[in-house]
Amino acid sequence: MNKKMIYLAALINAATQQINVPQTYSKKFKASGNSYLSPTEKIRVDELADHFVVAGIVGRNEILPILGKDGFSTLEFAPDIVGGQFTYTPTDIIQLQAGVPTYTKDGTVIESAKALEAKYAKIARAAIANKFERQCAEVYLKGTYTGEDGKPLTVGKKENKTLTLTSKKCSDEIIKLFLDYRKKFNVSPKIEVGMSIFNKIKNEANDSMQNINGVKFQMGDTPKLSIGNLTIEMLEDTKGPKDVLIDTSKTIILSDPKGLAIGYGCLQYGDIKTNESKLIKAEVIAGELRVEETSGQKGIWAKSAPMPIILTLDKFIRYTVTL
């Protein structure tokens, strides 16, 4: 990549915290820190698995996902390319030509070209983040990845276990699930519950005479409950790639956060100076659009090819609950 492409890609990555796009589920995958950059536009399952085994993220005997499509197993998959081209408006061009600077709150002067690039970097970041968030939500809550062809690819735990909570004290049963998981896998799971279950546990805190498990409520970016030293997070309803609401109200998920990962397909771009098509391993790439002769349009482009995936299926347990 040339210096301009590196600069724009860095600008787009820096815009992550400045965009107003839900990132509830994508943050779960990014927080693991586990990423794999494929050497081709396709991600090979065996190479991805070997990468994380060698890195010590998963053990050789752990159950890794087998990609499934149209009822058959597949060895490789090309993730959708997300992003696009973002052209400047006529008003933007006028400001650019006028060279009117932008002043920040602390009085720092930003050149009009730099301010325009920062503006469209946020737009590009939002476009990528919005699609990626929906991909992550679908993988986390349904175990599938739906590509542009509309066909789901199995990349995680697709089936939910069924569970009936019969006790008047829901916290007792959550504690049992936690202890069973820790005994089986020798690791403490992250516990997430849907709103109906969350409220049922929270209501135990209202009865000071019966709240022997010490249930406490904490409001923040993610509503949480504590049962002693045990933390329970609330799952949020969200929309998948087809804009269909995914209901989590009666869902419980026990998982090892280290078992989440993101695979990135190799990205292609054109090098204008050499008139060559090039491939690069990167999470995001970006560049300037060449001015279009008849319309005069100019702008930036950005793209990424992410695929969220759950590495250890046995440690990711999703329940559909009857209260």
Side-chain angles (χ1 to χ4, degrees):
M1 291 192 292
N2 58 41
K3 289 183 179 180
K4 190 66 174 186
M5 291 180 67
I6 294 171
Y7 164 74
L8 288 173
L11 204 60
I12 289 170
N13 286 327
T16 300
Q17 302 303 321
Q18 304 168 16
I19 57 175
N20 188 25
V21 173
Q23 299 177 71
T24 304
Y25 289 93
S26 53
K27 281 183 177 179
K28 297 178 191 294
F29 285 86
K30 288 183 178 180
S32 72
N34 300 330
S35 62
Y36 169 72
L37 301 176
S38 174
T40 70
E41 78 281 6
K42 295 184 178 181
I43 296 175
R44 288 183 58 91
V45 183
D46 54 347
E47 291 176 354
L48 179 142
D50 286 345
H51 170 80
F52 289 112
V53 168
V54 172
I57 306 300
V58 295
R60 294 190 178 276
N61 296 323
E62 292 190 88
I63 301 174
L64 299 172
I66 298 175
L67 299 184
K69 191 173 186 179
D70 298 331
F72 299 94
S73 296
T74 180
L75 185 62
E76 59 184 17
F77 177 72
D80 291 342
I81 295 176
V82 298
Q85 298 182 354
F86 309 92
T87 55
Y88 301 158
T89 66
T91 302
D92 292 327
I93 298 298
I94 290 171
Q95 292 179 346
L96 184 63
Q97 291 173 344
V100 179
T102 299
Y103 290 87
T104 63
K105 290 181 180 180
D106 62 1
T108 303
V109 178
I110 305 177
E111 296 176 8
S112 53
K114 299 285 186 184
L116 201 56
E117 288 166 350
K119 171 185 173 181
Y120 280 87
K122 291 180 185 178
I123 295 173
R125 181 78 255 181
I128 293 172
N130 184 59
K131 180 64 180 286
F132 184 53
E133 169 66 17
R134 295 191 178 208
Q135 290 173 340
C136 290
E138 186 186 20
V139 170
Y140 202 81
L141 299 173
K142 300 179 72 176
T144 55
Y145 172 108
T146 302
E148 288 183 351
D149 61 3
K151 297 180 179 180
L153 182 80
T154 302
V155 295
K157 183 63 71 69
K158 192 172 181 181
E159 297 80 17
N160 288 11
K161 293 185 177 182
T162 57
L163 178 68
T164 301
L165 299 180
T166 57
S167 173
K168 290 183 178 180
K169 289 200 183 325
C170 196
S171 59
D172 284 346
E173 296 181 87
I174 297 297
I175 291 171
K176 184 179 185 305
L177 289 176
F178 171 84
L179 293 174
D180 289 346
Y181 186 104
R182 190 170 67 177
K183 181 179 180 180
K184 183 175 182 179
F185 300 114
N186 198 31
V187 63
S188 295
K190 179 177 183 177
I191 303 176
E192 300 166 285
V193 303
M195 184 176 288
S196 296
I197 305 157
F198 189 91
N199 287 337
K200 186 173 175 61
I201 301 171
K202 182 164 69 72
N203 288 340
E204 293 182 25
N206 295 331
D207 190 342
S208 59
M209 298 295 292
Q210 297 297 320
N211 189 19
I212 59 174
N213 288 329
V215 175
K216 294 181 181 179
F217 173 69
Q218 177 186 346
M219 186 61 197
D221 291 339
T222 300
K224 297 179 181 179
L225 294 171
S226 60
I227 305 174
N229 293 326
L230 184 63
T231 299
I232 299 172
E233 295 186 11
M234 189 176 80
L235 282 170
E236 296 183 26
D237 292 350
T238 188
K239 290 184 178 180
K242 294 184 178 181
D243 211 32
V244 177
L245 185 70
I246 303 176
D247 181 9
T248 65
S249 60
K250 294 183 179 179
T251 301
I252 294 177
I253 297 177
L254 274 68
S255 65
D256 180 359
K258 293 184 296 184
L260 303 179
I262 309 169
Y264 291 93
C266 209
L267 295 165
Q268 186 176 12
Y269 73 95
D271 188 324
I272 302 300
K273 287 185 177 180
T274 62
N275 195 33
E276 295 288 339
S277 178
K278 294 188 176 182
L279 286 174
I280 187 169
K281 292 200 296 183
E283 295 182 8
V284 177
I285 62 171
E288 287 185 295
L289 289 173
R290 297 185 70 186
V291 65
E292 210 280 324
E293 188 174 3
T294 55
S295 67
Q297 286 186 333
K298 189 180 180 182
I300 67 171
W301 59 267
K303 58 184 178 180
S304 179
M307 185 179 78
I309 193 166
I310 295 171
L311 294 173
T312 53
L313 297 187
D314 54 347
K315 291 182 181 178
F316 192 92
I317 306 174
R318 194 189 308 113
Y319 297 95
T320 297
V321 176
T322 301
L323 295 173

